[in-house]
């Protein structure tokens, strides 16, 4: 009997959480009749935090949920707190189940095991799980997100792969994900002779395990690959499709990785590139530094930049600081670099930049992580 009772109680709680999740994620206003004609309200505050970045780095938070009951009498209700990551509930907690007296009632809370939650929300429900009022969010200041865009990974060029690995391994030690652009031509060599290039491919697979994202940078970084450049005319629609498809297929067959991000070589593209991405590659959900003056792209286009290198392969901390002052209020920034060409001084520059951004309470993400994060904030 005890086991049956426990199972029933567990099912009731699960159904309640599902209803909470559906209401919280619906984004639709509930009928006024369900919201008790505005006689209830709820607010949420977190102790010792002012910015979203602090929440995202915390494993445990404490605070207060305050319920206002202006209905003129006591009402039976459930007060709940939920933590979200990218609009998905990852933790929930019942703070109170029973009478809500007329007036103001505060409920202190502590919640742990947050696992990079980016939002807390509070709810007040009737016993039948109908909302008494609109949910309350934490009210924290939005954080700035930093994305590292590392270009020109040539997987079978050992020197460059090792240089890349130094930069990405350092970021992994800091708990920072980055995005590395892969060129397909060099994967073809690895596919044809996997034993010869086992070490290089092993390093790139390690990047994936460390949480870094790989993106399609084209096939061979040739001029004209995606846009007219110098004396080279732009490749046709069919040729651009072939270029992206070849690299996508090689990443799948050699690295066992399905790419969802693209950025053109030289950061240059034309209208055919946009058409190819829209019509042929729906799996590409983010692009970097893509020229789209007519707003045709269906993928998220990340274009806010901040200087990191003063020339290809040369990181400058001073140049970064000067530019950052002009763009520090942007919701996100993409920092582009070419670690395959770095000397030791550039790696030290990266460390200085990371330390500075950490002091600014920035949060670091891959393009795909930012897409999910930003869509959840809308």
């Amino acid at each position: 009997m005890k086991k049956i009772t426990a199972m029933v109680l567990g099912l009731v709680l699960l159904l309640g959480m599902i209803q909470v999740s559906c209401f919280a994620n619906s984004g639709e206003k509930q009928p006024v009749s369900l919201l008790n004609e505005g006689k209830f309200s709820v607010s949420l505050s977190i102790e010792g935090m002012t910015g979203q970045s602090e929440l995202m780095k915390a494993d445990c938070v404490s605070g207060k949920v305050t319920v206002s009951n202006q209905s003129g009498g006591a009402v039976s209700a459930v007060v709940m707190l939920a933590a979200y990551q990218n609009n998905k509930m990852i933790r929930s907690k019942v703070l109170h189940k029973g009478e809500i007296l007329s007036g103001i009632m505060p409920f202190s809370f502590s919640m742990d095991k947050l696992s990079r939650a980016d939002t807390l929300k509070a709810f007040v429900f009737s016993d039948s799980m109908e909302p008494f009022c609109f949910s309350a969010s934490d009210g924290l200041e939005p954080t700035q997100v930093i994305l590292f865009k590392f270009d020109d990974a040539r997987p079978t060029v050992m020197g460059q792969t090792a240089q890349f690995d130094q930069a990405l391994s350092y970021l992994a030690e800091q708990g920072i994900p980055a995005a590395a652009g892969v060129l397909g031509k060099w994967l073809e060599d690895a596919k044809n002779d996997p034993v010869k290039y086992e070490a290089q491919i092993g390093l790139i697979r390690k990047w994936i395990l460390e949480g870094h994202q790989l993106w399609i940078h084209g096939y061979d970084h040739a001029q004209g690959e995606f846009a007219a450049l110098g004396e080279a005319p732009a490749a046709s629609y069919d040729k651009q499709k072939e270029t992206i498809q070849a690299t996508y297929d090689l990443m799948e067959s050699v690295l066992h990785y399905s790419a969802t991000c693209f950025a053109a070589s030289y950061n240059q593209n034309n209208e055919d590139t946009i058409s190819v991405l829209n019509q042929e590659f729906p799996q590409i959900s983010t692009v970097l530094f893509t020229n789209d003056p007519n707003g045709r792209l269906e993928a998220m286009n990340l274009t806010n930049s901040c200087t990191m290198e003063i020339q290809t392969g040369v990181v400058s901390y001073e140049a970064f600081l000067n530019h950052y002052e002009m763009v520090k209020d942007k919701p996100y920034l993409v920092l582009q670099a070419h670690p395959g060409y770095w000397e030791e001084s550039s790696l030290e520059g990266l460390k200085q930049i990371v330390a500075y951004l950490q002091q600014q309470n920035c949060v670091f993400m891959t393009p795909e992580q930012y897409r999910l994060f930003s869509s959840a904030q809308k």
Side-chain angles (χ1 to χ4, degrees):
M1 179 62 73
K2 289 182 178 179
K3 290 184 177 180
I4 294 174
T5 302
M7 289 176 63
V8 171
L9 288 173
L11 180 59
V12 169
L13 179 59
L14 177 61
L15 290 173
M17 288 178 63
I18 291 171
Q19 292 185 54
V20 171
S21 180
C22 291
F23 169 66
N25 293 328
S26 67
E28 299 178 0
K29 291 188 176 181
Q30 302 300 305
V32 174
S33 59
L34 288 180
L35 297 174
N36 210 34
E37 298 178 344
K39 293 177 181 178
F40 275 80
S41 63
V42 61
S43 61
L44 167 63
S45 62
I46 303 176
E47 293 176 1
M49 287 188 183
T50 57
Q52 188 181 31
S53 60
E54 298 169 275
L55 173 62
M56 295 174 72
K57 296 172 183 176
D59 183 61
C60 178
V61 297
S62 299
K64 186 179 293 183
V65 171
T66 303
V67 180
S68 174
N69 173 9
Q70 304 300 321
S71 66
V75 177
S76 182
V78 178
V79 181
M80 294 189 68
L81 180 71
Y84 292 81
Q85 183 185 61
N86 295 332
N87 217 28
K88 179 181 179 182
M89 189 196 302
I90 57 174
R91 295 275 288 160
S92 65
K93 190 173 189 176
V94 175
L95 303 183
H96 175 79
K97 186 174 183 180
E99 284 194 337
I100 299 290
L101 302 178
S102 181
I104 305 296
M105 289 189 68
F107 301 95
S108 297
F109 69 82
S110 178
M111 180 178 278
D112 59 6
K113 299 179 182 177
L114 291 178
S115 184
R116 297 178 65 85
D118 53 55
T119 307
L120 292 188
K121 293 182 181 181
F123 305 88
V124 183
F125 293 98
S126 69
D127 290 337
S128 60
M129 298 307 291
E130 293 182 345
F132 274 131
C133 57
F134 296 119
S135 62
S137 291
D138 50 55
L140 298 173
E141 286 292 320
T143 189
Q144 184 181 58
V145 177
I146 303 297
L147 303 94
F148 283 109
K149 174 184 183 282
F150 287 168
D151 289 32
D152 302 352
R154 293 172 167 85
T156 52
V157 182
M158 187 58 192
Q160 289 201 343
T161 306
Q163 291 289 89
F164 248 91
D165 186 60
Q166 278 191 317
L168 291 176
S169 293
Y170 162 72
L171 291 179
E173 290 170 3
Q174 298 292 310
I176 295 173
V182 175
L183 294 164
K185 178 180 178 180
W186 285 266
L187 279 175
E188 197 135 31
D189 294 337
K191 182 178 180 179
N192 294 331
D193 195 346
V195 174
K196 180 178 179 180
Y197 299 109
E198 182 178 5
Q200 293 96 309
I201 297 306
L203 284 178
I204 298 176
R205 288 177 177 166
K206 178 175 74 76
W207 302 346
I208 299 168
L209 294 175
E210 288 173 340
H212 303 301
Q213 182 176 357
L214 306 183
W215 49 275
I216 296 172
H217 198 24
Y219 182 73
D220 59 3
H221 213 289
Q223 291 190 353
E225 189 172 23
F226 299 105
L229 196 62
E231 297 181 358
S236 66
Y237 178 103
D238 288 339
K239 184 62 178 177
Q240 291 192 40
K241 174 187 173 183
E242 178 185 327
T243 292
I244 297 173
Q245 188 69 61
T247 305
Y248 182 89
D249 291 344
L250 285 164
M251 290 172 74
E252 281 204 318
S253 61
V254 178
L255 301 174
H256 312 302
Y257 187 87
S258 298
T260 61
C261 182
F262 167 83
S265 52
Y266 300 100
N267 293 328
Q268 295 290 321
N269 65 276
N270 61 15
E271 289 295 321
D272 278 341
T273 316
I274 295 171
S275 297
V276 167
L277 291 170
N278 286 346
Q279 297 171 26
E280 311 292 346
F281 297 95
Q283 67 271 43
I284 300 297
S285 56
T286 57
V287 294
L288 302 164
F289 296 159
T290 300
N291 299 313
D292 183 25
N294 298 314
R296 295 176 51 224
L297 267 168
E298 295 173 5
M300 173 181 278
N301 189 10
L302 301 172
T303 59
N304 294 344
S305 66
C306 183
T307 298
M308 182 173 173
E309 292 181 333
I310 50 175
Q311 64 185 62
T312 299
V314 180
V315 174
S316 170
Y317 178 57
E318 292 74 20
F320 161 77
L321 288 179
N322 290 335
H323 193 191
Y324 185 76
E325 279 301 305
M326 295 184 282
V327 293
K328 61 184 179 182
D329 294 328
K330 299 283 188 180
Y332 74 88
L333 294 173
V334 180
L335 276 62
Q336 176 176 279
H338 304 75
Y341 304 103
W342 284 2
E343 295 182 356
E344 189 63 32
S345 59
S346 288
L347 183 60
E348 290 303 312
L350 170 67
K351 294 178 180 180
Q352 288 178 294
I353 290 170
V354 166
Y356 180 83
L357 291 170
Q358 287 172 330
Q359 291 173 359
Q360 310 311 306
N361 282 320
C362 295
V363 173
F364 302 88
M365 296 185 185
T366 64
E368 180 61 15
Q369 287 172 338
Y370 183 72
R371 181 185 71 84
L372 294 171
F373 172 77
S374 61
S375 63
Q377 307 305 305
K378 295 177 181 178

